[in-house]
C-alpha cells in the first residue's frame, strides 16, 4: 500500500505536465495564427517569392555604378581608338586627302594608318622603324601620303628624316602581283637645332604667290630658332629666330605664306615667306607682331583662309586677330574678338589651353587642357561640348582631318587626339547650335 501511493502521485504529476505542455503549444500556435492574420506584412504568403538578399542588392548597385562609370568615360563624340602603340604618342598628322593618319610614338615607330572608314573595328597601317636610339617627337606628311617627315631626338641632338616609296614598276607578267616596296630614307639631317629638342613639326603646301605647291616643313626648337625645309629635297629654305628666351611652338599658314610663333612673352611674332619666280624661297622677313595679351601665349593656329590667327594665353583669354593688313605700310594687325577661356580650378582661378586646332570650315575650335578636350564655337566663343577625360593621360597633339572621312554610311568631320596613354582617338565634330 505504501508503494502504490507514490506511484499514483508520480503518474498524476506526469499527466498534469503533459497536459500543460499540450495546452501551451496549442495556445502559442493559436497566437501565431492570430498574429499572422492581424499583420500579414510581417509574415508574407509563403507562395510569394522571397525578397532578394541584401548582399545581392549591393552587388547589383555596384554593377550599375560600374556601368555608369563606363558610360561617363565613353563620350558620344568618341568614334574610335587607334591602339597598338607601345608608348606615349608624341605627334600625329593627316595627309592632305584626310585618308591617312601618321603617328609618331616614343616606342621608336612611325605608323601610317589607312582611314577608309573611321568607324572600322580595325585599321591597316604601315610601320616605319626609326633609326636606333631616336626618340620620335613630331611627324608631318610631305608631298603625298607615301612621304613622311619625322623629327627624332637623341642625346647628340635632333634629326630630321624623310621616308618615301619608290614607284612600283609594271611587270610584264600580268599574273604576278607586284610587291609594294617599304619606305626608305630619302634624306636626313642631323643636329638641326644643335642639341635642342624639336617642339613642333608642321607642314603645308606652298600655294601663295609664286609658291610651286610643294610641301614646306617648319621645325621649331625648344631654343629660339625655327627652320624651314623643303619637304621633298630636305633643303633648308630659311631660318628665323624669336629672340624670346625659349619657344613654345610654331606653325605655318595653310597657304604657306606666314610663319607664326608663340614663345616666352605675351607677343606673337609673324614672318612672311617670300617666294621667287622659280618657286624657291627668297627671304623670310618679320612682318608683324600681335600685341594684346597680358601673359604668355600657349598656342596659336591660323584660320583656313590664312587671314586670321587665333591665340590662347595664360591670361585666361582667346583672341582672334586679323592679319590681312597692309603691314608694308605699317598697318598693325587688329584684334577682332576676345573670349574668356571657360576653365577654372577648384579655387576659381582661370586655367589656360595647352593646344588648339581649328576645323577645316573654320567654325569649330578644338582645345585641350591636360586630358580634357573641348569644342568651342568660333563665332560666339561658347562651349559646344566637353570631354572631361578624353584620355587616361595628358593630350600631346590634336589635328583635324582636312576633309570629311567616311563613317559607316556617311562622312564626318574628324578630330584626332594623341596622348601619353598610348592611344590615338578619333572624334566626330559636335553640332553647331543655332542662335
Amino acid at each position: 500500500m505504501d508503494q502504490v501511493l507514490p506511484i499514483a502521485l508520480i503518474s498524476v504529476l506526469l499527466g498534469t505536465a503533459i497536459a500543460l505542455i499540450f495546452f501551451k503549444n496549442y495556445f502559442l500556435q493559436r497566437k501565431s495564427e492570430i498574429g499572422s492574420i492581424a499583420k500579414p506584412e510581417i509574415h508574407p504568403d509563403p507562395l510569394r517569392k522571397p525578397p532578394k538578399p541584401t548582399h545581392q542588392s549591393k552587388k547589383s548597385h555596384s554593377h550599375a555604378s560600374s556601368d555608369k562609370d563606363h558610360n561617363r568615360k565613353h563620350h558620344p563624340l568618341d568614334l574610335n581608338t587607334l591602339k597598338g602603340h607601345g608608348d606615349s604618342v608624341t605627334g600625329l598628322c593627316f595627309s592632305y586627302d584626310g585618308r591617312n593618319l601618321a603617328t609618331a610614338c616614343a616606342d621608336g615607330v612611325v605608323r601610317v594608318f589607312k582611314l577608309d572608314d573611321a568607324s572600322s573595328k580595325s585599321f591597316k597601317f604601315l610601320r616605319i622603324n626609326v633609326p636606333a636610339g631616336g626618340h620620335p617627337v613630331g611627324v608631318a606628311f610631305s608631298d603625298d601620303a607615301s612621304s613622311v617627315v619625322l623629327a627624332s631626338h637623341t642625346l647628340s641632338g635632333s634629326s630630321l628624316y624623310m621616308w618615301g616609296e619608290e614607284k612600283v614598276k609594271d611587270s610584264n607578267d600580268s599574273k604576278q602581283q607586284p610587291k609594294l616596296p617599304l619606305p626608305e630614307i630619302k634624306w636626313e639631317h642631323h643636329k638641326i637645332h644643335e642639341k635642342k629638342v624639336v617642339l613642333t613639326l608642321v607642314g603645308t603646301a606652298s600655294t601663295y604667290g609664286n609658291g610651286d605647291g610643294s610641301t614646306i616643313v617648319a621645325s621649331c626648337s625648344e631654343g629660339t630658332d625655327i627652320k624651314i625645309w623643303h619637304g621633298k629635297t630636305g633643303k633648308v629654305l630659311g631660318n628665323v629666330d624669336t629672340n624670346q628666351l625659349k619657344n613654345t611652338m610654331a606653325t605655318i599658314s595653310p597657304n604657306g605664306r606666314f610663319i607664326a610663333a608663340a614663345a616666352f612673352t605675351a607677343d606673337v611674332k609673324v614672318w612672311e615667306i617670300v617666294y621667287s619666280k622659280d618657286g624657291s624661297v627668297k627671304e623670310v622677313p618679320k612682318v608683324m607682331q600681335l600685341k594684346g595679351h597680358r601673359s604668355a601665349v600657349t598656342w596659336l593656329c591660323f584660320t583656313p583662309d590664312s587671314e586670321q590667327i587665333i591665340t590662347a594665353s595664360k591670361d585666361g583669354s582667346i583672341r582672334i586677330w586679323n592679319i590681312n593688313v597692309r603691314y608694308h605700310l605699317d598697318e598693325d594687325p587688329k584684334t577682332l574678338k576676345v573670349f574668356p577661356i571657360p576653365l577654372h580650378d577648384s579655387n576659381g582661378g582661370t586655367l589656360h589651353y595647352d593646344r588648339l586646332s581649328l576645323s577645316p570650315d573654320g567654325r569649330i575650335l578644338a582645345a585641350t587642357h591636360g586630358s580634357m578636350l573641348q569644342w568651342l564655337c568660333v563665332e560666339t566663343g561658347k562651349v559646344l561640348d566637353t570631354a572631361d577625360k578624353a584620355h587616361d593621360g595628358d593630350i600631346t597633339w590634336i589635328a583635324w582631318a582636312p576633309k570629311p572621312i567616311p563613317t559607316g554610311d556617311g562622312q564626318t568631320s574628324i578630330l584626332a587626339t594623341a596622348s601619353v596613354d598610348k592611344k590615338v582617338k578619333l572624334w566626330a565634330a559636335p553640332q553647331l547650335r543655332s542662335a
Side-chain angles (χ1 to χ4, degrees), residues 117-183:
D117 185 340
S119 60
S120 176
K121 292 183 179 180
S122 62
F123 299 89
K124 294 180 179 178
F125 67 87
L126 178 67
R127 178 189 177 102
I128 302 174
N129 293 318
V130 178
H135 178 81
V137 293
V139 64
F141 278 99
S142 187
D143 289 346
D144 52 52
S146 62
S147 302
V148 179
V149 180
L150 172 80
S152 178
H153 188 73
T154 64
L155 293 177
S156 61
S158 293
S159 299
L160 274 190
Y161 301 90
M162 196 277 271
W163 279 270
E165 293 181 357
E166 295 290 345
K167 292 184 178 180
V168 180
K169 296 181 179 180
D170 295 331
S171 175
N172 295 328
D173 187 358
S174 58
K175 295 182 180 180
Q176 184 179 1
Q177 297 241 354
K179 292 183 179 180
L180 294 176
L182 292 175

Side-chain angles (χ1 to χ4, degrees), residues 134-341:
H135 178 81
V137 293
V139 64
F141 278 99
S142 187
D143 289 346
D144 52 52
S146 62
S147 302
V148 179
V149 180
L150 172 80
S152 178
H153 188 73
T154 64
L155 293 177
S156 61
S158 293
S159 299
L160 274 190
Y161 301 90
M162 196 277 271
W163 279 270
E165 293 181 357
E166 295 290 345
K167 292 184 178 180
V168 180
K169 296 181 179 180
D170 295 331
S171 175
N172 295 328
D173 187 358
S174 58
K175 295 182 180 180
Q176 184 179 1
Q177 297 241 354
K179 292 183 179 180
L180 294 176
L182 292 175
E184 58 183 27
I185 296 177
K186 298 299 181 181
W187 56 260
E188 56 187 292
H189 291 282
H190 304 285
K191 297 182 180 179
I192 57 174
H193 295 287
E194 296 181 350
K195 289 192 175 182
K196 303 295 185 181
V197 176
V198 172
L199 297 177
T200 57
L201 184 74
V202 293
T204 192
S206 55
T207 58
Y208 178 79
N210 293 320
D212 58 7
S214 59
T215 298
I216 55 174
V217 177
S219 61
C220 172
S221 83
E222 64 179 350
T224 63
D225 61 325
I226 302 166
K227 288 191 175 184
I228 308 168
W229 311 81
H230 191 272
K232 187 174 182 179
T233 64
K235 180 182 177 181
V236 179
L237 301 178
N239 295 272
V240 297
D241 198 315
T242 58
N243 294 312
Q244 292 183 350
L245 189 61
K246 63 178 181 178
N247 294 333
T248 301
M249 56 80 64
T251 190
I252 311 176
S253 62
N255 62 2
R257 182 183 181 185
F258 296 113
I259 287 183
F264 184 72
T265 69
D267 297 341
V268 171
K269 294 182 179 180
V270 182
W271 297 263
E272 183 180 16
I273 303 174
V274 181
Y275 297 92
S276 301
K277 291 183 178 181
D278 61 357
S280 61
V281 174
K282 183 178 180 181
E283 58 179 339
V284 190
K286 177 188 166 187
V287 293
M288 281 178 275
Q289 193 158 334
L290 311 183
K291 297 182 178 181
H293 283 295
R294 299 186 307 276
S295 187
V297 173
T298 57
W299 210 263
L300 62 87
C301 60
F302 285 89
T303 55
D305 60 8
S306 300
E307 295 183 356
Q308 297 176 11
I309 291 178
I310 301 178
T311 56
S313 169
K314 288 184 178 180
D315 65 12
S317 71
I318 297 172
R319 285 177 177 258
I320 302 179
W321 310 78
N322 175 28
I323 60 170
N324 186 22
V325 296
R326 296 174 295 179
Y327 54 83
H328 55 282
L329 297 178
D330 295 330
E331 187 175 341
D332 294 326
K334 300 176 177 62
T335 300
L336 301 177
K337 295 178 182 179
V338 180
F339 299 127
I341 293 178

